[in-house]
Amino acid sequence: MSPSAVPKKRTLAEELSLLRQRQRDRRRRSATAAGAGLAVIVGGVWPLLGVGLQPGGHAPMPICAIGSTALRADVDADGRPDEIRGLNREGAGSVVFRRGGDLTTVHVDDARGFWPKLRGAPKEDMATRGTFGDFDGDGYLDLALFYSQRDEGDSPRDSMLVHEVRYGPLARDLSSDRTGPIRIGRSAFVYGVWTTDTDHDGRAELQVSQSEGDGMAARHVGRQRGDGISVSDDEADLYAGADWPEPELGRLGFPACGARQ
């Protein structure tokens, strides 16, 4: 081997510089892999958290009733009418969003969001109740939402993880940038919720049927107060849970839809 073919021996300084360069390269590769993993995690978790969906900016459109258990309204303020269906006294309705020929259905039970679902996972007999109405009178539909635990036998459980109002316009996952508390005196199970406008002032009243224990339920009325809804401690009605009255839903708070609406 000729002298020119013999590899040149690196100095200590050169060896240290090369070692540092290799360490930097490894860190960059690790950071790139971690970033890709984080992107996958974020892409998978963010939809569960309800982050990123926003309503449109269209002005309020007329709200009207279809029969006694459905409403037509522009829930997400995109200028297209949507339908709120299944407005029964149990508060288990759904919204059918329209975009061109596509229909997307979101149930009230899906509106709780990631963290309430996570907190409620270890508990048995949890139930979501929700109803729609214009509680603050701004022309957009709002959502009153409860997530509470059923009675254990005849004894109420003191477990209500969600009691909030989401002010419209709502996003397509029924989330909102503006929420407020539903101030209610007890955390017992909510059998059902619905809305009325008995004084015809353009602001919905929240009707709440809540367990009193021993198989009894009481109806309480809530109204917009300040930053949320305050539910009265006074009992409007008291009845056996199986015999509670069936209200004529839908028409109570809004006029019937015309042929062209």
Side-chain angles (χ1 to χ4, degrees):
M1 180 180 294
S2 64
S4 60
V6 177
K8 182 181 178 181
K9 188 176 181 179
R10 298 187 184 93
T11 66
L12 178 60
E14 289 173 334
E15 290 286 355
L16 291 175
S17 177
L18 182 61
L19 179 61
R20 284 194 290 267
Q21 182 61 46
R22 288 172 177 168
Q23 289 174 337
R24 285 194 294 269
D25 290 343
R26 281 197 295 270
R27 283 196 294 268
R28 277 197 295 268
R29 286 194 294 269
S30 298
T32 301
L38 182 60
V40 171
I41 292 172
V42 169
V45 171
W46 261 197
L48 294 175
L49 298 178
V51 175
L53 295 178
Q54 295 292 329
H58 199 278
M61 296 174 65
I63 303 171
C64 61
I66 307 171
S68 60
T69 60
L71 295 173
R72 184 175 294 150
D74 182 13
V75 176
D76 59 347
D78 66 349
R80 303 177 182 89
D82 310 302
E83 287 188 10
I84 302 92
R85 299 175 179 174
L87 291 175
N88 52 36
R89 63 182 182 176
E90 285 83 9
S94 60
V95 180
V96 180
F97 291 100
R98 299 177 181 273
R99 179 167 292 176
D102 297 330
L103 302 179
T104 302
T105 301
V106 181
H107 296 275
V108 165
D109 192 54
D110 300 326
R112 295 194 312 272
F114 178 75
W115 295 119
K117 289 178 181 178
L118 186 64
R119 290 173 59 202
K123 297 178 179 290
E124 296 180 352
D125 298 327
M126 298 294 294
T128 305
R129 299 289 185 258
T131 189
F132 297 86
D134 185 6
F135 299 108
D136 59 355
D138 67 352
Y140 292 111
L141 272 187
D142 313 313
L143 170 62
L145 194 65
F146 292 90
Y147 187 42
S148 58
Q149 193 171 23
R150 298 180 187 275
D151 293 357
E152 185 175 12
D154 289 335
S155 301
R157 287 165 161 156
D158 188 27
S159 181
M160 184 181 291
L161 300 184
V162 176
H163 47 102
E164 68 180 24
V165 55
R166 301 177 182 181
Y167 293 102
L170 305 173
R172 288 193 162 216
D173 59 354
L174 302 183
S175 63
S176 174
D177 287 337
R178 186 166 72 97
T179 63
I182 297 178
R183 292 175 284 267
I184 189 166
R186 299 169 57 247
S187 298
F189 177 62
V190 173
Y191 280 104
V193 288
W194 63 96
T195 57
T196 58
D197 185 14
T198 55
D199 56 5
H200 306 290
D201 67 346
R203 295 190 300 172
E205 300 124 9
L206 176 64
Q207 307 286 338
V208 182
S209 176
Q210 190 174 31
S211 172
E212 292 290 314
D214 296 325
M216 302 298 290
R219 179 173 64 89
H220 300 269
V221 182
R223 292 179 172 84
Q224 176 72 26
R225 295 284 188 272
D227 63 345
I229 294 175
S230 296
V231 178
S232 173
D233 290 333
D234 297 333
E235 298 172 356
D237 291 306
L238 183 65
Y239 42 82
D243 298 329
W244 61 331
E246 181 73 60
E248 185 185 358
L249 298 158
R251 291 189 182 278
L252 293 176
F254 303 98
C257 295
R260 294 187 178 181
Q261 287 180 301

